[in-house]
Amino acid sequence: MNLKRRNSRPAGQWGKRLTVAVLFVLAVVMRDTWLSLIAIGGIVPDLLLYFPLFFAIYLPPGQAWIYGAALGLVEDLLSGKYLGLGVLSRTGAVCLASVLGNNLYKENLYNPPLIVFAAVMASGLLYWLCSYPVGLGLSWLLLPVQVLPQALYTAL
Amino acid sequence: MRYRRNNSVKAGLLITAAVFVLLLIATLTALEREQLTFGEELVRDMVAPLQSGVVVIGEKLAQIPRFFSDMQTLNAENHQLTAQVAAITARLSQVEAYEQENQRLRRLLNLAQEMAQWQPVAAQVIGRDIDHWYDTITIRGGADQRFARDQAVITADGLVGRIISVSHRSAQVLLLTDVDTALSCMIEESRVAGVLEAADDLGNLHMIHLPADQPVKKQQTVITSGYGGIYPYGLRIGFIGQVQEAQGGLTQEAIIQPYVDFSKLETVLVLVASAPQDPLAAAETVLPGSAASGEEHR
């Protein structure tokens, strides 16, 4: 009986991961196609982060990071450039959200938007930081002009 | 405690290694590459149809608000075009009326030119006898236009009748279909003479006193003979529709189908016997809407 349960658990987990991956793919596709409809001044909310953040807030960082990494991987594969930057930035953002979610009082109405804001900022910051070692070298102006408004919009 | 510390160190090392590996991969997969990786190609090929489908759906959804605004625009345009169609239709019917009038007047003009020995004066039909006792019409133009009693009245199709009474500005015309009609006529092809008699109750014209031994056939044309002194020679009356033996068997008679449609008389020509003049000028004297008639009317 125990053996049976041990064998069925990984299969269920892989199914769950596959579902999440498909959801991420769909979400990325939606972002690339429809999200421009709700753009304000060229700024679109980072709605993709909602998926991993939902898990991150309720899961410890040790389990939540996989969702961030999966999202980042899907984004990287679809964007076709600098594979790994997305994984790093999204994983870091989800880990931060997980830490905050597990330490802040979740039922407080202001905390979830705060966590989202922090996660989006962290994601942008990490991407910007990692752009230098890989030779991309993004301008720091992107942080106040792009990342900060996006984080505010997403948190709203 | 030591075990947990070792685990943390291991995890830190693992994370650092992962970060380095990822940065290395990112460096190797920079912006411009000659070829995508297998994973990238696979994901892109799988997602491309999905993306195009989503784009199409997005475009369709985006068209929904435009559909309603277009509906309003189309509705307004529809009202505008309907009004334009109504105006154009009215204008078209007016143009058609002008065209018919133009054709009628051209035919009258041609006829007037053919009859150079007469002065045909065009006149508009302004009234029709409605008491059924007489088949008469009233035309615009009378003594002032030198219209007189017993002058022949024709159209481009043929003989209409004769003037039976004249006032200064109008004249009454007795139609061929009236029972009092009687005139000398002949068959154009065979030159057989006869008398066109008053119509019967059915409104037919009868050509009587045709010799029994003379060939009288259907579709032959009947014209005025000019013998009576009222109607000039050669005015077309109608064609023979039916030939029958007269009472007594000595003569035969024919039922004539007139060329003129007496129910649709609008403009006629009065044959005034005088020196010839420009038929166009004559036509302008009594036709409505012309400068001359306008002057006269005032």
Side-chain angles (χ1 to χ4, degrees):
Chain A
M1 191 69 175
N2 283 337
L3 185 65
K4 206 172 185 180
R5 283 183 67 188
R6 268 184 213 142
N7 286 339
S8 64
R9 193 175 290 166
Q13 283 180 350
W14 278 110
K16 189 176 165 186
R17 285 168 188 165
L18 186 66
T19 307
V20 171
V22 170
L23 278 175
F24 284 162
V25 170
L26 284 174
V28 172
V29 170
M30 296 282 207
R31 182 196 64 178
D32 292 347
T33 51
W34 287 1
L35 211 61
S36 58
L37 295 174
I38 56 169
I40 299 175
I43 303 295
V44 292
D46 194 355
L47 295 181
L48 287 180
L49 261 182
Y50 281 141
F51 281 101
L53 288 182
F54 177 77
F55 297 108
I57 290 172
Y58 296 98
L59 291 174
Q63 294 176 29
W65 72 271
I66 189 72
Y67 295 104
L71 174 65
L73 184 63
V74 169
E75 283 186 294
D76 284 342
L77 288 174
L78 283 173
S79 70
K81 53 185 181 290
Y82 297 106
L83 298 183
L85 279 189
V87 176
L88 279 173
S89 62
R90 297 305 198 183
T91 306
V94 167
C95 287
L96 176 67
S98 178
V99 170
L100 292 173
N102 284 285
N103 290 294
L104 292 176
Y105 185 57
K106 296 187 189 79
E107 281 70 20
N108 189 326
L109 274 178
Y110 298 104
N111 283 343
L114 193 68
I115 294 171
V116 170
F117 175 78
V120 176
M121 281 299 292
S123 176
L125 196 64
L126 279 172
Y127 201 96
W128 174 75
L129 278 174
C130 293
S131 72
Y132 284 94
V134 301
L136 178 61
L138 294 172
S139 168
W140 65 272
L141 282 172
L142 289 174
L143 294 176
V145 173
Q146 292 275 345
V147 178
L148 182 62
Q150 187 182 41
L152 286 170
Y153 194 1
T154 311
L156 287 174
Chain B
M1 187 72 177
R2 193 173 176 181
Y3 177 74
R4 283 182 68 184
R5 190 177 171 188
N6 282 340
N7 275 349
S8 297
V9 170
K10 278 184 184 175
L13 284 173
L14 201 62
I15 290 170
T16 308
V19 168
F20 272 110
V21 169
L22 286 172
L23 288 175
L24 184 64
I25 293 173
T27 309
L28 294 174
T29 55
L31 194 60
E32 293 181 16
R33 282 176 291 153
E34 288 189 4
Q35 197 171 359
L36 295 173
T37 61
F38 173 75
E40 285 173 305
E41 280 190 21
L42 183 70
V43 171
R44 283 192 180 192
D45 290 343
M46 285 171 59
V47 168
L50 185 65
Q51 258 178 320
S52 52
V54 171
V55 167
V56 169
I57 293 170
E59 286 174 352
K60 297 289 180 193
L61 289 175
Q63 283 174 355
I64 290 175
R66 201 186 311 156
F67 171 77
F68 288 107
S69 66
D70 285 351
M71 280 291 285
Q72 287 180 337
T73 310
L74 287 174
N75 203 17
E77 279 183 5
N78 186 30
H79 283 300
Q80 191 181 351
L81 290 174
T82 305
Q84 282 183 0
V85 166
I88 290 170
T89 305
R91 183 69 182 158
L92 184 63
S93 92
Q94 197 178 13
V95 168
E96 283 174 355
Y98 285 146
E99 191 178 349
Q100 288 175 0
E101 186 181 21
N102 182 281
Q103 287 176 353
R104 194 174 66 246
L105 293 175
R106 279 177 183 278
R107 287 164 63 198
L108 282 174
L109 188 60
N110 290 336
L111 182 67
Q113 286 170 341
E114 286 171 6
M115 303 186 65
Q117 69 271 33
W118 299 94
Q119 182 193 344
V121 179
Q124 185 192 13
V125 176
I126 57 174
R128 177 178 280 275
D129 203 342
I130 56 170
D131 61 8
H132 301 295
W133 294 112
Y134 303 98
D135 267 351
T136 59
I137 56 171
T138 306
I139 59 174
R140 185 179 182 181
D144 291 351
Q145 281 73 40
R146 292 183 292 119
F147 290 174
R149 197 165 183 268
D150 288 337
Q151 285 176 337
V153 177
I154 61 172
T155 67
D157 296 324
L159 185 62
V160 172
R162 62 186 171 90
I163 292 176
I164 54 171
S165 64
V166 176
S167 67
H168 283 287
R169 292 179 181 175
S170 69
Q172 199 169 26
V173 178
L174 186 70
L175 303 179
L176 287 183
T177 51
D178 188 86
V179 290
D180 283 345
T181 295
L183 66 100
S184 178
C185 61
M186 66 166 59
I187 298 170
E188 188 176 28
E189 292 83 357
S190 62
R191 320 306 290 177
V192 176
V195 174
L196 193 75
E197 198 183 53
D200 57 21
D201 293 339
L202 299 173
N204 293 319
L205 300 175
H206 285 223
M207 186 175 180
I208 58 172
H209 302 320
L210 294 167
D213 57 343
Q214 293 294 323
V216 179
K217 296 177 183 175
K218 288 183 179 179
Q219 301 298 321
Q220 288 181 319
T221 304
V222 178
I223 59 173
T224 53
S225 63
Y227 298 151
I230 295 175
Y231 299 102
Y233 164 76
L235 297 177
R236 283 153 44 96
I237 297 172
F239 62 90
I240 296 173
Q242 190 178 340
V243 183
Q244 59 193 31
E245 195 176 295
Q247 285 182 349
L250 295 176
T251 58
Q252 54 185 341
E253 61 182 44
I255 296 176
I256 310 301
Q257 300 291 325
Y259 289 122
V260 174
D261 185 352
F262 293 97
S263 64
K264 294 179 180 174
L265 292 172
E266 293 181 32
T267 308
V268 296
L269 289 174
V270 179
L271 299 183
V272 179
S274 66
Q277 66 177 63
D278 181 10
L280 185 60
E284 285 179 350
T285 55
V286 286
L287 281 177
S290 66
S293 65
E295 288 290 332
E296 182 197 356
H297 188 66
R298 280 194 292 270

